[in-house]
Amino acid sequence: MRLVTHNMMSSNIKGVANGFPLLIEAAQVVEKEVDFNADFLKNIFARIEWKALVEASKTMGYSELLDNVESSMLDSEEFLRKFHHALLEIHLEEGALVCPETGRKFPITKGIPNMLLHEDECTVFVLTGHDLYHSCGTPGVLKALSIAVY
Amino acid sequence: MPQTWAGASTQIGHKVPSNGNPYDEVYNKGSAKTRNGRVVGLIETKHSLRPSKRTMNKSKAQQWHFRRKSKTVGHHKISQAKILRSESVAPPPVFRFCQGGAATDFNAAVQDPAIAIPDYNFLKRRNTPLLAFGRGGEQTHPRRVSQVFCNMIPKIAQIHLVSSHSEVYDPCDDSFALVDALLADRASLLEHRPSICMEVGCGSGYVITSLALLLGKEENDAYYIATDVNPHAVRVTRETLEAHGCHAELVNTDIASGLEKRLAGSVDVMVVNPPYVPTPEEEVGCYGIASAWAGGENGRRVIDKILPVADKLLSEKGWLYLVTLAANNPLELCLQMRKKGYASRIVLQRSTEEESLHIIKFWRDLDTLLEANECVRLNKTENGVVMESMPFIPLSIWKQGNRNIN
């Protein structure tokens, strides 16, 4: 799992107000070389939460990223290289992602994070009109709390 | 003129003789005849033809899957395949599916691939010799044709490199149809320059790998992400991607749970091959391979779960490719999405013996959104009189100069 993905993930547990960013417990970190593409980095820069990326890369053992950035720094090749390395070349093979509020761990095995929730952690899913579909949870309680999605 | 089939998978099927056990002829003789004895036939494995006690006790979805798996022409599925030909046989059609629905002149197609869209997967999988006709009706040399084809065919995932697992859905007609639809739309996709592409329900990884390969790396390096609720599927997808030299982010999650907040309004291309088989409700969401096809009532349970998530994730210029069956009521799906401001188009339609697949493409369209808002506003002022304002025509495709014409 690369840090670009970590930057896109948040805790999906029911009742969590702000599940981003997930804390990282790194058991095995691997560095794999990836082709450098400046355009891709410039495109994705807008979507990246920089602070989360810096903290995550420090946890993984890479502390070259600066804390404060501006978009003008995107013109600098050196900055782009560091950005590229942190975002795309550091892989978390084994470890866990931790929800910042509940402390629940989402394991990562062979680089694949498992975000599947247990029954008691799910949120309600409601379909249009009169159709109610419960992904999990007790029907009685959830019917009372149902919120229309459409 | 070469004859085109609406659903050339019917060649796998068989013409049922009028007397005796309908399966004997095929089962015993080991060949399948098609109509008028003119067309090539394939040998099926016996499982696919004779309903046995093994299949009888299984649920409807499992029977469907069992029959379907045996018919797939994959590297490990069919034990024996023979192509029968007689003197008077017309060469097998090169084009299974064409824009506009008619077979076109091959020479014209070579110059402009947009005219006719051969079913590349079908041709490569079936080992059909690529024969074609020139303008005057004469046969062109097969080798030249196949060479031209090889140069024309953009890269997609190769079936022999796709990993498999007993609990993971192998690429089948629906996967191939989806990839063919993406191939058909390749020019528009490249022009679209998506920065984030996502697949929900990656299964074996065939579709996401094909998408990554056909978009290529040179002009367009996108961020690919694929999710699946089945952990084996995510692992198999990773192996498939590695075998093809591609990379995509993989997350084992339910649809896009955990990614929705951060990826909201960011995904440019989303491809979904959902569990669409109509099954009993209790089969939906079961652990294991059944989750790959079990779709509940009308096969719509999981699709209806996915569409709101797609609506949230798709960007302003986002496109969604969805595989549906005729049984899923695709028209109603399109109308539902229309209310949320999505124009839609059936980009590919394929009929096999067992199912009629529709690959639908959705995209956000301002005019559709305005019409939808207008309808809502008029509904409110008319005291609940329902206004079906117009017949279902995706208006955007008729507009000139609209960039969203696809």
Side-chain angles (χ1 to χ4, degrees), chain A residues 1-2 4-5 7-12 16-17 19-20 32 35 37 40 43-44 47-49 91 93 110-117 125 127-128 131 133 135 149-150, chain B residues 195-196 217-218 221-223 225 229 231 234-235 238 242 247 249-254 257-263 265-266 268 281 284 301 304-305 307-309 336 340:
Chain A
M1 191 199 70
R2 306 190 290 192
V4 60
T5 315
N7 211 272
M8 298 296 164
M9 287 188 359
S10 58
S11 172
N12 45 357
V16 167
F20 179 83
K32 293 182 196 171
D35 291 335
N37 186 331
F40 172 74
N43 276 338
I44 207 133
R47 299 195 214 283
I48 296 283
E49 279 283 337
H91 289 256
E93 286 292 318
K110 294 188 189 164
I112 300 169
N114 182 345
M115 305 292 292
L116 292 172
L117 297 173
F125 242 107
L127 298 178
T128 48
D131 223 335
Y133 176 73
S135 54
V149 173
Y150 273 62
Chain B
S195 49
I196 299 183
K217 276 202 164 177
E218 298 83 28
D221 203 6
Y223 172 61
I225 183 161
V229 73
V234 189
R235 264 202 306 277
R238 186 176 138 120
E242 273 171 12
H247 186 95
E249 299 304 316
L250 299 168
V251 184
N252 180 10
T253 184
D254 184 17
S257 175
L259 295 159
E260 286 176 60
K261 279 192 196 138
R262 287 285 291 134
L263 280 180
S266 309
D268 295 321
E281 286 292 339
V284 179
R301 276 290 155 262
D304 288 338
K305 236 176 114 180
L307 286 178
V309 176
Q336 228 176 31
K340 292 195 268 174

Side-chain angles (χ1 to χ4, degrees), chain B residues 298-313:
Chain B
N298 290 333
R300 284 283 296 269
R301 276 290 155 262
V302 184
I303 295 178
D304 288 338
K305 236 176 114 180
I306 290 175
L307 286 178
V309 176
D311 184 29
K312 194 170 171 192
L313 293 179

Side-chain angles (χ1 to χ4, degrees), chain B residues 272-319:
Chain B
V272 189
N273 183 4
Y276 55 60
V277 179
T279 61
E281 286 292 339
E282 51 268 13
E283 291 189 25
V284 179
C286 280
Y287 181 74
I289 196 172
S291 60
W293 65 69
E297 189 193 343
N298 290 333
R300 284 283 296 269
R301 276 290 155 262
V302 184
I303 295 178
D304 288 338
K305 236 176 114 180
I306 290 175
L307 286 178
V309 176
D311 184 29
K312 194 170 171 192
L313 293 179
L314 283 171
S315 62
E316 277 305 312
K317 65 171 192 170
W319 292 352

